Amino acid sequence: MRLANLGGRATLIAPGGDDRGVDIAEASGGKFGPDVQGLYDEWDAFRAFVADLDSSTMATATFDQVNLCAPVPAPRQVFAIGINYRSHAAEAGMDLPTVPATFTKFPASITGPFADVELPNGTVDWEVELVAVIGRRADRVAAADGWAHIAGLTVGQDLSDRHLQLAAGAQFSLGKSHRGFTPLGPWVVTPDELDDPDDLALGCAIDGETVQDGRTSDLVFGVSQLVAELSAVVPLLPGDIIFTGTPGGVGFARKPPRFLQPGETLETWVEGIGTIHTRFAAPAGDRHAG
Ligand code: ZN
């Protein structure tokens, strides 16, 4: 199942097509939706409803993908994990962590899969990430049971202002939470749609030039292990998201370093899920100058 947020309305993507969907509020007679975020609070009931839908008689409508919004628009908690790929630890010159290096991206920084994002300065970097969405409250969950608490997976960019991230000691959360720094989408895919949800290719490209190209099998702490490690400390709530970390190929580790520039477009993908597009603009003050 693929669940999207089409202009604020929960939409089921029709099997076999990326531009046809079913409005969930209409299909359920108002039982579910149109709000997307609330579906994660009643995920098991929603899954049962979708399983009973007769796809041959569903009323589908064509839509334009640019009208998609973030499929998890307002999570209560956003977890993000640093140094969680062996390839990224190596390029950053860091030892592999023994506990997940955890920070947050403040939820108001979330934006959709076809967003324009303002660059606040010249030190903004890219990080493709697999993002896991919680579908069942997780409190002290064993790693073996981690996947049972996941509603699905989506594609994220952990855009990072490296200057602010490393200022004042290392305040990761603020430097990763500028307006629009958390693009998500294009939809949430349930794990059963994937041959092996623990081994997915992922990457990103700037104006068509691939800069990251990895596999989630390189994760130090995989999705189920992260559910265990995080829920040992604090309960994970339905609709929360986990940015699971980024593989090698980020800009700051390059010689010389490379950062995103106004006018560039970043394409970010995860195998079996989809691709998001982020276009960058100069700060508003600069654009108005002259
Ligand atoms: Zn990251």
Side-chain angles (χ1 to χ4, degrees), residues 101-193:
T102 307
F103 56 94
T104 193
K105 289 171 76 71
F106 297 109
S109 66
I110 289 173
T111 191
F114 291 86
D116 290 340
V117 174
E118 186 177 300
L119 294 172
N121 55 42
T123 62
V124 178
D125 205 346
W126 55 87
E127 296 192 355
V128 54
E129 307 212 4
L130 175 71
V131 176
V133 185
I134 300 296
R136 269 185 209 153
R137 180 184 168 95
D139 193 359
R140 297 193 172 101
V141 167
D145 300 325
W147 274 112
H149 294 262
I150 300 297
L153 302 169
T154 192
V155 181
Q157 257 294 340
D158 178 16
L159 294 171
S160 303
D161 171 353
R162 298 302 186 196
H163 170 73
L164 187 54
Q165 178 185 346
L166 302 173
Q171 53 169 357
F172 276 44
S173 300
L174 203 54
K176 288 164 172 277
S177 297
H178 282 285
R179 292 168 185 79
F181 267 32
T182 308
L184 285 179
W187 33 65
V188 169
V189 175
T190 50
D192 59 287
E193 298 273 339

Side-chain angles (χ1 to χ4, degrees), residues 264-282:
E264 288 180 337
T265 297
L266 184 64
E267 270 188 276
T268 306
W269 61 85
V270 179
E271 175 186 15
I273 301 175
T275 302
I276 64 175
H277 304 251
T278 311
R279 193 171 57 185
F280 296 97

